């Protein structure tokens, strides 16, 4: 399976990867994941900048981050859905847009753990949960969602999808925190003339980033394609 996603707002993160299950995606067994992503976010140094200590607003700076990981684990299939656990190495590299940056820092190697849940409590509902934690940047990201199956948009050629609320949290050792709450449409099927197997998730809502200290809007597009 190939997959990719784009999270856009005051901060942006784009990623792509592949998932391999030798025994099949619909069976219990070994699963491996490989991902790579790039992110850019705006920050203010509220803790280290002397202007913050004087009650002034520190200037904005941009943080660029590249992350990659290769994890492996096991998935358990049930009538109601699937649970999967993974672990493996990750690599992180980041730099700030700052006059004080005279050379690029070395990439950091760490460990990553990941857990996923896709459950259907009933024929018409979908619950998902994802948790990813890594030591390369001391980061953790989690997302939960609930959705009710809605009919497709025949005029646009789109199949049925699950529509409902979602919430996510990201935090790392730099002191950065990001909360979001929004609505999602998951497992959207595209017209057969485009791709019979490609599935999409789109979502949008409200986000608050602690180092900016101002709410904003976000939008997400994710896609996956079984091979």
């Amino acid at each position: 399976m190939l997959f990719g996603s784009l999270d856009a707002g005051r901060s942006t993160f784009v990623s792509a990867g592949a998932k391999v299950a030798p025994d099949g995606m619909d069976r219990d067994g070994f699963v491996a994941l490989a991902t790579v992503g790039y992110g850019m976010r705006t920050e203010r140094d509220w803790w280290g900048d002397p202007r913050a200590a004087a009650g002034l607003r520190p200037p904005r700076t941009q943080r660029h981050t590249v992350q990659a990981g290769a994890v492996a684990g096991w998935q358990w299939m049930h009538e109601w859905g699937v649970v999967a656990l993974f672990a493996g190495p990750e690599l992180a590299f980041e730099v700030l847009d700052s006059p004080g940056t005279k050379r690029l820092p070395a990439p950091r190697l760490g460990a990553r753990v990941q857990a996923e849940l896709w459950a259907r409590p009933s024929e018409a509902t979908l619950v998902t949960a994802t948790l990813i934690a890594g030591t390369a940047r001391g980061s953790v990201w989690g997302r939960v969602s609930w959705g009710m199956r809605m009919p497709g948009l025949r005029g646009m050629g789109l199949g049925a999808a699950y529509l409902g609320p979602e919430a996510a949290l990201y935090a790392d050792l730099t002191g950065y925190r990001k909360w979001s709450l929004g609505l999602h449409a998951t497992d959207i099927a595209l017209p057969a003339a485009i791709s019979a197997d490609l599935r999409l998730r789109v979502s949008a809502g409200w986000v608050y980033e602690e180092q900016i200290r101002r709410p904003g809007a976000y939008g997400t597009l994710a896609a996956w394609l079984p091979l």
Side-chain angles (χ1 to χ4, degrees), residues 120-126 147-150 162:
R120 291 182 172 84
S122 69
E123 292 184 0
T125 58
L126 173 69
M148 178 172 289
R149 192 166 180 82
M150 307 297 289
Y162 294 92

Side-chain angles (χ1 to χ4, degrees), residues 1-3 17-27 29-34 71-75 86 225 227:
M1 177 185 291
L2 301 178
F3 57 87
K19 181 178 182 180
V20 178
D23 295 330
M25 292 293 181
D26 58 348
R27 298 181 182 180
F30 174 82
V31 184
L33 281 170
V71 296
W74 201 267
Q75 66 178 11
F86 308 90
L225 177 65
L227 299 177

